[in-house]
Amino acid sequence: MVVCGDDGLAHRLAAELRGVYREQVVLVVPPARRTPPQPMAGRARAASAALFGRMVTAVNRGTGDSDDTLVPDERVMEAADPTEAVLADAGVDRAAALALVYDDDETNIRAALTARRLNPRLRLVLRLYNRRLGQHIEELLDQAAELAATAGRGGHEGHAGHGADITTTVLSDADTTAPALVATALVGTSKVVDAEGLLLRAVERRPPRPGEVADPGLCTLALLSATSNDPAGAEGSEDSGDGPRLLPDAEAVAAATGRGTVVLEQVSYSGPPLPARRAGVMPFASLFSARLRWSLAGLVAAVVALAVALIVVTDDHPLRAIYITLLDLFAINEPALGAPTGQQVLQLLSGLVGLLLLPVLLAAVLEALGTFRTASALRKPPRGLSGHVVLLGLGKIGTRVLTRLRELHIPVVCVEADPEARGMAVARRLRVPVVVGDVTQEGVLESAKIHRADALLALTSVDTTNLEAVLYARSVRPDLRAVLRLYDDDFAKAVYRTLRTAHPAALTRSRSVSHLAAPAFAGAMMGRQILGAIPVERRVLLFAAFVVNGHPQLEGRTVAEAFRPGAWRVLALDTAARGADARGEAPGSGLVWDLPDTYVLRAGDRVVLAATRRGLAELLGRRTRSSR
């Protein structure tokens, strides 16, 4: 396996492949800087490198395996750019898979095109932020691989079956981690995996009350820690015995008391979202403020009242009375000399209302012009705002989280120091209030109404900034729900424990983006179609779709026999891939989610399963190695 990247995701992914899947890894990273790096960046690089070394050492010492494939030293290359020479030196022409996880989309695309030319049979995993471009690149690279495999079969029949595992997978760490960050900050939100129109919705449910019967949904994916909603409780990690239990069996679910669950509640096919209003059309109500609208309504009511009074006094026709009132209102009618006293009084009142109308009309014109002028400008947090989420940072991760929050109709106030940040355009489009300023400066969080917020999401790319913002917010609101994005997972755990001890009444969670995203990237490198990942506290549950051929744990077994609690579970059968399922459905009918436990998985069946990281490694890792 070859991993190329320039940040913590590359180191975490290499450690995942080596420590979980026991693969040989060549890691290509930028060379060490000649000039002194920024303090936090230097510590992050050292921490990720140490993490890679610790996991490699643990595997080599813990397994006791003398297999030649388990080498004591992993190869780490330093190169500024993934050029053709660098990729060739890394052994891409002989590798099984290549992951390109640079922070720049253009760098990943350029290297992917080069790698596909060097090795048409290579499995490619790309990290791209632009999802639409990623779909086109994936189709292009897969088409190139298919043509190369077709040409190769003409002269090398022995490789015909190997081409079936050639895939290109485009993933985004921002899309992978955004649901986890949103769900951590809010209570009752669902975690969604959306891939190629397939929508998997996992809902976190609280423990049932005495006498209540918990609804298991389609299936129970996880049992949460007993202290998952306790601010002072320890959040279970992957290796802790009191942590969450993934893919429990029916006996474990029945025996669990006082523990929340994550269930697969709904499965459907998603389409493009329908806009709430026509694009580019501004609603009329947004042109004028509420105070101005009430002023205009009051003046209209006064004009109507004057017209009615004139009808009563003069017995004129209603249309004539309205016309005379409007003339008096705009001061273009002749004075009512010699008219009855009541009509003269009404004329004076109409003139007074006309004087009041002029400034209101002028204010309406100025406000409408200002609204059009500032339609693309950033909004300020409105007065009296409360119960909102304060989001720090509008980079890649922050932008995706902002979009998710607005999809859930959660009020958000963003804080960003860079006026040209990536997410500023998204904030303008969604009309989300933004405070431009350094969050470490006094008064910035106050401008975001932090004292009346429900949650704080600190998602900037600098750990110290996130930590300082949370500490300051704690001094303002000791009970504020806070979520930190931190670089290293060990550092995230240490920060979480300290904040939990210092503020036992507040719910604090810390998350490492690379830790959440690496399992999905690693699973895709193993040659399987990874649909996505759902974080469960500090653990990760993967969803994959693949053919069961050659897997003794699945092939020839019933769905019940293939279920391995805590490792993997078959969720659905793709009848379109097989042509028909056990019920005799026609080809193209889609996925069947209510498979009976007695259904026997046969060769050629394409299934969707949920698996843990180590479960997927056990199910697929050694088979992938032996097939090469």
Side-chain angles (χ1 to χ4, degrees):
M1 302 288 177
V2 180
V3 178
C4 303
D6 57 357
D7 60 5
L9 180 58
H11 294 274
R12 172 65 67 173
L13 176 56
E16 185 87 9
L17 292 170
R18 187 66 179 91
V20 178
Y21 293 93
R22 301 179 182 179
E23 291 287 340
Q24 298 182 72
V25 181
V26 176
L27 179 61
V28 181
V29 294
R33 298 179 181 178
R34 298 297 181 184
T35 58
Q38 296 179 357
M40 205 61 215
R43 287 197 297 270
R45 180 183 177 90
S48 58
L51 168 68
F52 181 55
R54 287 200 306 269
M55 293 193 69
V56 170
T57 303
V59 171
N60 288 337
R61 292 180 178 177
T63 58
D65 198 339
S66 59
D67 191 350
D68 294 336
T69 59
L70 294 179
V71 295
D73 296 323
E74 296 301 312
R75 185 181 178 191
V76 179
M77 295 177 52
E78 290 190 349
D81 296 304
T83 61
E84 181 174 353
V86 171
L87 293 177
D89 191 20
V92 167
D93 56 333
R94 305 179 306 276
L98 167 66
L100 297 166
V101 292
Y102 290 95
D103 192 53
D104 180 53
D105 287 2
E106 182 180 352
T107 301
N108 293 328
I109 294 173
R110 184 172 62 251
L113 297 175
T114 303
R116 180 61 81 204
R117 186 176 68 254
L118 292 176
N119 186 356
R121 303 181 183 279
L122 184 69
R123 290 194 299 271
L124 287 174
V125 179
L126 279 74
R127 171 191 184 183
L128 295 182
Y129 181 79
N130 191 329
R131 289 176 287 187
R132 180 176 299 179
L133 176 61
Q135 293 176 357
H136 296 308
I137 293 297
E138 185 173 330
E139 294 173 0
L140 175 65
L141 293 174
D142 279 343
Q143 184 177 1
E146 183 178 355
L147 292 176
T150 303
R153 285 196 293 268
H156 304 280
E157 294 296 335
H159 295 284
H162 185 70
D165 203 20
I166 302 174
T167 58
T168 303
T169 305
V170 176
L171 298 174
S172 169
D173 57 332
D175 289 330
T176 304
T177 58
L181 296 171
V182 172
T184 305
L186 303 174
V187 179
T189 58
S190 59
K191 305 169 186 178
V192 178
V193 173
D194 193 350
E196 300 177 355
L198 176 64
L199 186 65
L200 305 176
R201 183 168 180 262
V203 179
E204 182 176 326
R205 294 181 177 174
R206 296 184 180 275
R209 298 178 180 178
E212 291 183 349
V213 178
D215 182 10
L218 294 176
C219 68
T220 300
L221 297 177
L223 292 174
L224 300 177
S225 302
T227 59
S228 59
N229 291 316
D230 183 6
E235 188 181 30
S237 63
E238 183 174 356
D239 299 323
S240 62
D242 58 350
R245 297 186 58 181
L246 302 185
L247 302 175
D249 54 15
E251 291 76 10
V253 174
T257 58
R259 302 181 69 169
T261 58
V262 177
V263 300
L264 193 65
E265 184 182 67
Q266 176 183 348
V267 178
S268 62
Y269 286 91
S270 63
L274 297 177
R277 56 183 176 87
R278 293 176 56 188
V281 177
M282 184 175 299
F284 177 79
S286 65
L287 293 176
F288 310 110
S289 63
R291 181 180 301 178
L292 185 58
R293 294 198 299 269
W294 279 110
S295 300
L296 290 173
L299 290 176
V300 171
V303 172
V304 172
L306 289 173
V308 172
L310 187 60
I311 294 173
V312 174
V313 171
T314 62
D315 292 331
D316 286 341
H317 190 275
L319 291 179
R320 175 179 171 80
I322 294 175
Y323 178 69
I324 296 298
T325 302
L326 291 177
L327 291 178
D328 294 336
L329 184 70
F330 296 116
I332 57 178
N333 194 15
E334 293 189 6
L337 298 176
T341 305
Q343 186 176 352
Q344 292 177 343
V345 172
L346 290 176
Q347 189 178 51
L348 293 175
L349 293 177
S350 298
L352 178 62
V353 173
L355 293 176
L356 298 177
L357 179 62
L358 289 178
V360 173
L361 291 178
L362 180 61
V365 172
L366 295 177
E367 190 168 301
L369 291 176
T371 300
F372 281 113
R373 189 183 303 113
T374 61
S376 60
L378 297 173
R379 298 182 60 195
K380 299 298 182 182
R383 296 181 180 178
L385 179 65
S386 62
H388 58 287
V389 174
V390 177
L391 175 61
L392 309 183
L394 287 176
K396 289 184 176 181
I397 305 298
T399 302
R400 288 287 191 258
V401 172
L402 172 61
T403 304
R404 291 270 184 175
L405 290 172
R406 293 307 299 139
E407 289 174 353
L408 296 171
H409 305 288
I410 303 298
V412 185
V413 174
C414 301
V415 179
E416 174 57 53
D418 183 10
E420 303 298 327
R422 182 188 298 269
M424 285 296 192
V426 177
R428 292 188 185 97
R429 177 173 55 85
L430 298 177
R431 299 182 63 79
V432 174
V434 178
V435 177
V436 179
D438 188 353
V439 71
T440 61
Q441 299 297 322
E442 186 176 356
V444 174
L445 281 178
E446 284 80 356
S447 300
K449 315 295 182 184
I450 191 66
H451 56 286
R452 291 200 296 265
D454 275 356
L456 170 66
L457 283 170
L459 305 181
T460 70
S461 58
V462 182
D463 288 3
T464 54
T465 300
N466 295 334
L467 183 57
E468 183 177 353
V470 170
L471 293 176
Y472 181 76
R474 280 278 182 264
S475 65
V476 178
R477 279 279 307 277
D479 60 339
L480 181 69
R481 178 187 291 262
V483 180
L484 296 85
R485 170 194 174 185
L486 297 177
Y487 187 90
D488 182 70
D489 193 54
D490 292 337
F491 182 47
K493 293 178 183 178
V495 170
Y496 160 69
R497 294 191 183 102
T498 305
L499 288 175
R500 183 196 66 199
T501 304
H503 301 277
L507 188 61
T508 304
R509 292 294 181 259
S510 56
R511 292 292 182 261
S512 169
V513 172
S514 61
H515 175 78
L516 295 174
F521 282 82
M525 289 191 71
M526 298 305 295
R528 307 301 155 190
Q529 181 59 43
I530 300 298
L531 300 180
I534 290 182
V536 181
E537 297 180 17
R538 288 197 175 277
R539 302 195 65 179
V540 179
L541 190 63
L542 301 173
F543 290 86
F546 63 95
V547 180
V548 301
N549 290 13
H551 296 279
Q553 304 94 332
L554 302 177
E555 187 176 358
R557 297 175 180 265
T558 64
V559 173
E561 293 172 346
F563 175 36
R564 178 81 64 84
W568 62 78
R569 177 172 186 168
V570 176
L571 300 177
L573 174 68
D574 189 353
T575 59
R578 172 105 185 151
D581 65 350
R583 299 171 182 171
E585 295 183 4
S589 57
L591 294 170
V592 177
W593 294 88
D594 53 346
L595 279 175
D597 291 340
T598 56
Y599 176 77
V600 179
L601 300 175
R602 296 168 290 175
D605 281 345
R606 184 175 184 267
V607 297
V608 176
L609 60 80
T612 62
R613 297 159 57 209
R614 299 191 182 276
L616 191 63
E618 179 183 352
L619 184 62
L620 306 176
R622 292 191 177 275
R623 174 186 178 274
T624 304
R625 181 182 299 281
S626 61
S627 66
R628 296 199 300 272

